[in-house]
Amino acid sequence: MTTSAASASEAGVRYVQDGPVASVTLCRPDVLNAQTPAMWAELGNISRKLPGDVRVVIVRGEGRAFSAGLDLSVARGDGDSSLSQLARLSPEESAERIAGFQDAFTWLRRPSLVTIAAVQGHAIGAGFQLALNCDMRVLADDARFSMAEVTLGLVPDLGGTKRLTELVGPSRALEICLTGRRIPADEADRIGLATAVVPRDELDAAVRDLSAAVLAAPAGAVAEIKALIHEASGRTYPEQDRAEREAQTRRVRDLAGLE
């Protein structure tokens, strides 16, 4: 994949591909990888140009934090991407603008990809939601999650509320979103937000090992399993049983060379 190095650097996003593994790194460490609409536009650009041979995407934050969330200097300014400008749009235009922001996050849920967030330090607001949109979250022991939108009078709107609810249940999800409190790594592990928690200096190795384990499985089976798991909560038991039958039929035919 080719992207403009200048535009990516300006947006604060770095893309590196190593065979079937792509790494997407937020690289504004001086502001704890605070996110901007320009960053979201670059994440969306990466999603549209992602090569078909990529199977695993690792999302990282450079420096001591994963992401401190929305860059408040942009949100509170007077530019085209500010909250005040968003408020001046019609409701339809505002919703459409937010849908574009969401695209930077929701592509991480594609069935054809397995996405892993490598989280160290703070993952606040948009940072938390970025991690939630990934299939798995490997946390350093210094990681801290917080859904802090409520402290600004806002709601989480970047694809995080459904995944959070599925992971921890509606009562806990509501408490997390209403209080905006910090969730340390050990609690995140205990309530189901973390796939694993490791010492900070072992984070990269743990993510590499997890990626290797995913890549050891056939791509077709991985995609089918991801779809089954992610869509299970919206189905009844008979509907899920049927989905399993249909997925297995496709796998058997594929393995027999009939697909």
Side-chain angles (χ1 to χ4, degrees):
M1 186 185 80
T2 59
T3 59
S4 168
S7 64
S9 175
E10 183 178 341
V13 181
R14 182 170 63 250
Y15 175 91
V16 176
Q17 184 179 345
D18 182 10
V21 179
S23 292
V24 178
T25 303
L26 309 185
C27 46
R28 302 182 72 213
D30 54 321
V31 290
L32 302 181
N33 300 313
Q35 298 179 32
T36 65
M39 180 181 283
W40 298 340
E42 183 57 27
L43 289 171
N45 182 48
I46 288 171
S47 76
R48 287 185 291 273
K49 296 184 177 181
L50 197 70
D53 60 344
V54 170
R55 293 182 54 194
V56 175
V57 175
I58 300 168
V59 181
R60 310 175 185 275
E62 185 177 287
R64 59 192 179 93
F66 181 73
S67 173
L70 180 64
D71 188 327
L72 296 181
S73 68
V74 175
R76 291 171 172 164
D78 295 320
D80 290 342
S81 300
S82 67
L83 294 175
S84 61
Q85 175 60 30
L86 198 63
R88 288 193 286 269
L89 300 175
S90 71
E92 295 77 15
E93 291 171 327
S94 180
E96 184 177 354
R97 181 76 59 86
I98 295 170
F101 298 158
Q102 290 174 332
D103 287 344
F105 294 70
T106 58
W107 67 275
L108 293 163
R109 306 197 301 250
R110 286 181 193 167
S112 60
L113 300 172
V114 172
T115 54
I116 303 168
V119 182
Q120 81 283 358
H122 290 296
I124 299 173
F128 188 11
Q129 293 187 78
L130 185 62
L132 283 169
N133 274 281
C134 292
D135 298 314
M136 293 178 274
R137 286 152 296 284
V138 179
L139 275 56
D141 52 13
D142 67 346
R144 299 289 185 274
F145 284 141
S146 174
M147 198 70 88
E149 284 80 358
V150 70
T151 64
L152 301 174
L154 303 172
V155 304
D157 65 342
L158 298 170
T161 55
K162 179 174 172 60
R163 181 63 59 81
L164 179 63
T165 302
E166 290 173 347
L167 289 170
V168 304
S171 178
R172 179 81 62 156
L174 183 61
E175 179 265 327
I176 288 170
C177 291
L178 292 185
T179 65
R181 68 180 179 87
R182 299 289 197 270
I183 302 167
D186 59 346
E187 182 184 356
D189 191 25
R190 188 171 67 251
I191 66 177
L193 288 172
T195 305
V197 176
V198 299
R200 176 68 182 87
D201 60 0
E202 296 178 15
L203 181 61
D204 289 342
V207 171
R208 283 196 303 271
D209 289 346
L210 181 56
S211 299
V214 170
L215 292 172
V222 169
E224 292 281 12
I225 291 169
K226 177 173 175 176
L228 283 171
I229 296 299
H230 279 200
E231 295 170 17
S233 62
R235 294 184 178 130
T236 63
Y237 275 105
E239 289 169 342
Q240 185 71 359
D241 292 343
R242 178 179 178 178
E244 289 177 0
R245 294 194 299 270
E246 292 172 347
Q248 193 71 300
T249 297
R250 288 190 293 272
R251 292 306 308 141
V252 171
R253 289 180 59 82
D254 182 59
L255 291 171
L258 298 175
E259 289 290 339

